[in-house]
Amino acid sequence: MKVNFLSTVLFFFISCFSTLDAACQLNNSPNGSIKISFINTLNSVPIILDAVNYTNCWNENFTISALKYYISNVQFKTSNKKSIKEKNSYHLIDEENIVSKSFLCTVLPGNYLTLSFLIGVDSIKNVSGAQTDALDPLNSMFWTWNSGYIMFKLEGNSPNSTIVNNKIEYHIGGFAGTNNVLRQVELNLENNKALININSITEIVVQADVGKLWNAVHELKISQTPVCSTPGAPAAGIADNYSKAFTVIKIIN
Amino acid sequence: MKIKIIISLVVIVMLATAFIYKAPPHKLTYLKLFIPKGWPKPATDIFVTNPLTEEGFVLGKKLFYDGRLSKDGNFPCSSCHQQFAAFSTYGHDYSHGFNNSLTKRNAPGLFNLAWQKAMHWDGGINNIEVQPLTPITAPNEMAETLFNILIKLKVDTAYVRLFKAAFKDGVINSQHMLKALAQFTGSIQSYNSKYDKVKRGEDSFTVSEKMGYKTFLDKCNSCHTEPLFTDNSFRNNGLTLNFKLPDSGRMTITGNPTDLYKFKVPSLRNCSVTLPYMHDGRMFSLGKVIDHYRKGIDTTQATLDTLLKKGLFISDQERIDLLSFLYALKDSEMLRDPRFIQANDILLPVNYDH
């Protein structure tokens, strides 16, 4: 009886351990978390959709009714030269949806030196058929006439716009060839020191300044280009501009 | 002692229940895309990331024939893609869409899509799974939104059951809907025309068909390459410009001026039932098409295909024989295949409930 009892209990524990395997792994390699938050601004002041009249560097007035963009392939470099990639890393930052403006990455503890990401959705996912979550075509960020994601979208109105209802509409996409609009951004974290500890959350606050859209690299005037909604050289130029919009403004350890 | 026995029993019962109670496995009936002998490999891997199953196919078929995918219920995919016309719109240059509108191009037949790298006349669609987004959201086609469609599907118990059968997590979302549609449209295959049977040694050409085949290989095959009867390229075959409805073709997608007025070389399988012809449906008979190649080519266009710079010399006899051959490309088995016919809902769900 004694043997029976012991072996049963032993069996019980062994089977428990094997089913708890997944949970155990978490305990063996403790993780910290990095929360990345995006603040969309104009000249460093957070944007308010529709309600506020803005002026760009060309003295053109405009309002913004929608601002959305993809951040994908998030990656960190640590002080010991390790690259850490977020798995299934696709995020749609939508100014209208507060929840969408930050996300959490589970990472190993350490000293993090850089944060990098792609503005847009990598080319593979543009040709791989129906996707879900951030990449769901329900999000109105997928072109139906020319398959591919709209990587960056800004819509609004301006008296300087020459088209119907004074609309401005920048739907920036295109993932192939010379007019590829995918832009890699690498941000330095050293100044503010991102130290990730076990079981705590470090927040990296990234500012995306729409002011850069108009002249960071190329001139973009509403009066000349109120709409850009096809892949091509103008779209690639606009992508150059907004690729300069991202800076780390704060790290909260 | 007693207590030990009780503990042992409790442990054994716990273990036993843990082992016995497993969620019932999700059963899928996997199907394989048939690759006819002598055909090239499919140009796409549509069923690699979207494994083809009977359950997915059945769901896709129901969606394809369901008017609720359109705004007013009148325009299912099947309203423009009719099986007896090889899933083109029979006899219409432009198809009817929502609110008395018309499409801007001729609806092509749907078959052998796994062999087609890009869809639509301009090749703008890079994956069969995302193709339905175009007709669904186009105001002159189905004029609906994905959001509304998903609401309609979620309250329908038949769909709840079919999505559960077709996908592990059973979620009704756009991804699953699109994958199911692709399983249906991607399964429509044509490989049983008289031409195929002759090639397999199961039938033989008439004298006229045989002569026509020769002319075809000589004059047409470099673009309409057998056995698919297309080489999947984009070319300008010298149609005069359509000033009422200008269409830049491939250049719309690439932005490249050398692609101006180039369109996808369409497959000629089933061409006797896919009339009218060309991207704008301007020709209503195959005879007119051949006459176009004989003497209708607009040689003033810079992007005209070099093979057609001088037109094609086809004698009257060759024209007759060529027509015989084109008729031999009709695949009656596909046009009547009961697998593709709208299912009778009443007979359906019962065994899809696991």
Side-chain angles (χ1 to χ4, degrees), chain A residues 1-2 4-5 8-9 11-12 15 126-132 136-138 142-148 175 179 230-231, chain B residues 1 4-5 7-8 11-12 14-15 19 122 124-127 129-130 133-134 137 146-147 150 173-175 178-179 252-253:
Chain A
M1 198 62 232
K2 200 162 203 165
N4 265 352
F5 174 68
T8 316
V9 171
F11 183 51
F12 175 70
S15 54
N126 279 272
V127 297
S128 304
Q131 308 294 324
T132 190
D136 196 317
L138 261 179
F142 194 84
W143 271 321
T144 60
W145 59 282
N146 182 357
S147 308
F175 54 87
N179 295 325
T230 56
Chain B
M1 193 63 193
K4 281 181 184 175
I5 294 173
I7 291 175
S8 300
V11 168
I12 289 165
M14 277 166 65
L15 282 176
F19 279 110
D122 56 17
I125 306 301
N126 65 27
N127 189 301
E129 289 175 22
V130 296
L133 295 170
T134 318
T137 58
L146 281 177
F147 188 81
L150 292 175
N173 63 15
S174 72
Q175 186 182 39
L178 294 168
K179 281 185 183 284
T252 321
I253 302 305

Side-chain angles (χ1 to χ4, degrees), chain A residues 185-216:
Chain A
V185 172
E186 187 171 62
L187 303 173
N188 206 317
L189 304 175
E190 267 173 299
N191 295 340
N192 301 307
K193 292 250 184 297
L195 293 167
I196 315 304
N197 295 313
I198 303 167
N199 297 331
S200 76
I201 299 178
T202 296
E203 185 177 4
I204 300 175
V205 183
V206 177
Q207 171 179 297
D209 199 85
V210 175
K212 292 279 191 277
L213 191 66
W214 317 102
N215 68 342

Side-chain angles (χ1 to χ4, degrees), chain A residues 29-153:
Chain A
S29 53
N31 284 298
S33 298
I34 297 183
K35 180 180 179 183
I36 306 179
S37 304
F38 286 81
I39 303 183
N40 299 316
T41 63
L42 201 116
N43 304 333
S44 300
V45 181
I47 276 172
I48 301 176
L49 293 181
D50 293 312
V52 179
N53 263 310
Y54 297 108
T55 309
N56 68 13
C57 59
W58 313 110
N59 244 337
E60 297 172 313
N61 293 324
F62 64 99
T63 56
I64 303 174
S65 56
L67 175 63
K68 296 184 183 190
Y69 49 86
Y70 278 109
I71 296 295
S72 76
N73 294 274
V74 173
Q75 209 174 319
F76 301 95
K77 273 205 196 89
T78 63
S79 53
N80 51 3
K81 296 264 159 32
K82 262 199 199 142
S83 261
I84 302 203
K85 291 181 186 164
E86 187 192 15
K87 274 192 202 131
N88 195 18
S89 181
Y90 299 96
H91 306 277
L92 177 59
I93 310 295
D94 178 357
E95 176 54 32
E96 198 170 27
N97 176 3
I98 294 174
V99 181
S100 78
K101 289 195 279 179
S102 60
F103 52 86
L104 213 55
C105 310
T106 308
V107 292
L108 293 173
N111 185 6
Y112 282 68
L113 301 184
T114 64
L115 156 67
S116 62
F117 51 78
L118 213 55
I119 314 169
V121 176
D122 50 71
S123 37
I124 284 287
K125 280 282 193 265
N126 279 272
V127 297
S128 304
Q131 308 294 324
T132 190
D133 298 327
L135 300 179
D136 196 317
L138 261 179
N139 297 322
S140 304
M141 292 292 277
F142 194 84
W143 271 321
T144 60
W145 59 282
N146 182 357
S147 308
Y149 284 94
I150 299 172
M151 315 293 185
F152 174 100
K153 183 187 252 190

Side-chain angles (χ1 to χ4, degrees), chain A residues 43 56-58 119 152 183 185 208-221 236-247:
Chain A
N43 304 333
N56 68 13
C57 59
W58 313 110
I119 314 169
F152 174 100
R183 295 291 179 272
V185 172
D209 199 85
V210 175
K212 292 279 191 277
L213 191 66
W214 317 102
N215 68 342
V217 182
H218 314 275
E219 289 187 359
L220 173 65
K221 290 185 177 157
I238 293 175
D240 288 338
N241 285 1
Y242 65 62
S243 70
K244 307 288 182 210
F246 297 84
T247 48

